[in-house]
Amino acid sequence: KQEVTQIPAALSVPEGENLVLNCSFTDSAIYNLQWFRQDPGKGLTSLLLIQSSQREQTSGRLNASLDKSSGRSTLYIAASQPGDSATYLCAVRSGTYKYIFGTGTRLKVLA
Amino acid sequence: GAGVSQTPSNKVTEKGKYVELRCDPISGHTALYWYRQSLGQGPEFLIYFQGTGAADDSGLPNDRFFAVRPEGSVSTLKIQRTERGDSAVYLCASSAVAGENYEQYFGPGTRLTVT
C-alpha cells in the first residue's frame, strides 16, 4: 500500500530565505508526482507535476525534483515571500486514477 | 472557463441529520472524484465516477455515505445519520477522462461540521 510522508509538518522562515520541503513515498512504482498548494479555506492549486520519467520541473521560483529509486521528492522555493504562506501537499499516482496525498507542510513566511 | 464549484461552502448540521453536498465539475469533464480531508491530514479518496456510474467507491467509509451523478455532470455526495467524526472538508475534482495522464482539477471544498 502506497504511503506518502511530508517533513516537516510545519515551517516558519523569514522572508527572502530559500527553503526545501520534503516528500517521501513507500512504493517507487509511481506514475507521477504532483505538488499542490492549499490556502486556508480554499481548494488545491496545482504547482508542479513530475512524470515518473522526469527528474525535475521548474516554474518561476519553484523547483521540484524526483528520485523514484529512493522514493523522494523535494520542493525548493527560492527567495520566499509572505504570499508563499500556505500548506503544501505532495501527491502520487501509482498506476491508478487516485491521488495518494501526504499530510502536508504548513509554511509561514514572516515579513 | 469556470473551474470546479462546490456548494455549500460551509455546512453545519446536528448529529444524526442528513446532508447533501453538491459538486459542479468543469464542463465537458467526464470523470469526477470525491475526496475527504480531515483536519491536519491530506485528502483521502472516497469515490470516482466515469460518466454516470460510480467506477470505484472503495473509499467510502461506510454505508451512510452515498454519491450520485445521474446525468454525468453534477454530483451529489449524501451522508445519512451524520456523526461528529464526519466533520471534514469534502473536496471534489474533475478531469477530462479518468486515467493517470489526466490532471484532476479541484474545487474549493465544502467544510462540514457536525455538532
Side-chain angles (χ1 to χ4, degrees):
Chain A
K1 178 186 171 187
Q2 178 73 271
E3 293 183 1
V4 181
T5 304
Q6 291 186 246
I7 294 173
L11 183 62
S12 185
V13 300
E15 181 177 8
E17 195 162 294
N18 301 325
L19 57 100
V20 174
L21 308 182
N22 297 291
C23 172
S24 61
F25 45 95
T26 54
D27 184 349
S28 62
I30 65 169
Y31 191 85
N32 56 43
L33 183 145
Q34 195 160 355
W35 284 91
F36 293 88
R37 169 183 173 141
Q38 186 174 33
D39 292 283
K42 305 291 186 182
L44 307 182
T45 300
S46 177
L47 297 174
L48 290 165
L49 169 66
I50 310 177
Q51 301 292 349
S52 62
S53 59
Q54 298 175 320
R55 296 296 300 271
E56 65 177 343
Q57 283 285 343
T58 298
S59 176
R61 294 182 294 109
L62 305 180
N63 176 276
S65 67
L66 174 63
D67 184 342
K68 256 187 24 171
S69 60
S70 67
R72 294 181 182 178
S73 176
T74 62
L75 178 66
Y76 176 83
I77 303 177
S80 58
Q81 303 170 356
D84 295 331
S85 299
T87 295
Y88 290 80
L89 291 160
C90 163
V92 301
R93 281 208 268 189
S94 303
T96 75
Y97 41 82
K98 305 179 210 178
Y99 285 107
I100 306 297
F101 284 89
T103 53
T105 293
R106 294 187 307 282
L107 173 65
K108 187 168 186 178
V109 181
L110 305 171
Chain B
V4 177
S5 62
Q6 293 186 245
T7 54
S9 56
N10 282 283
K11 176 71 176 178
V12 180
T13 190
E14 293 179 348
K15 179 175 177 297
K17 298 291 188 182
Y18 168 83
V19 296
E20 290 189 351
L21 312 179
R22 176 187 168 109
C23 172
D24 281 87
I26 292 172
S27 178
H29 279 192
T30 63
L32 184 147
Y33 313 80
W34 284 98
Y35 292 81
R36 178 167 74 170
Q37 186 175 22
S38 300
L39 190 64
Q41 302 296 314
E44 293 182 322
F45 170 81
L46 295 176
I47 184 171
Y48 114 87
F49 291 86
Q50 180 60 50
T52 60
D56 183 349
D57 64 358
S58 62
L60 294 178
N62 52 59
D63 61 7
R64 295 186 298 105
F65 289 74
F66 189 72
V68 296
R69 194 185 185 202
E71 297 178 356
S73 179
V74 170
S75 176
T76 304
L77 179 66
K78 307 180 180 192
I79 311 174
Q80 298 177 321
R81 304 184 304 280
T82 51
E83 300 178 357
R84 292 194 180 88
D86 299 334
S87 297
V89 175
Y90 289 81
L91 293 165
C92 176
S94 71
S95 64
V97 295
E100 302 89 349
N101 283 329
Y102 298 92
E103 188 172 343
Q104 295 176 21
Y105 297 87
F106 285 81
T110 293
R111 181 176 298 278
L112 175 66
T113 303
V114 182
T115 62

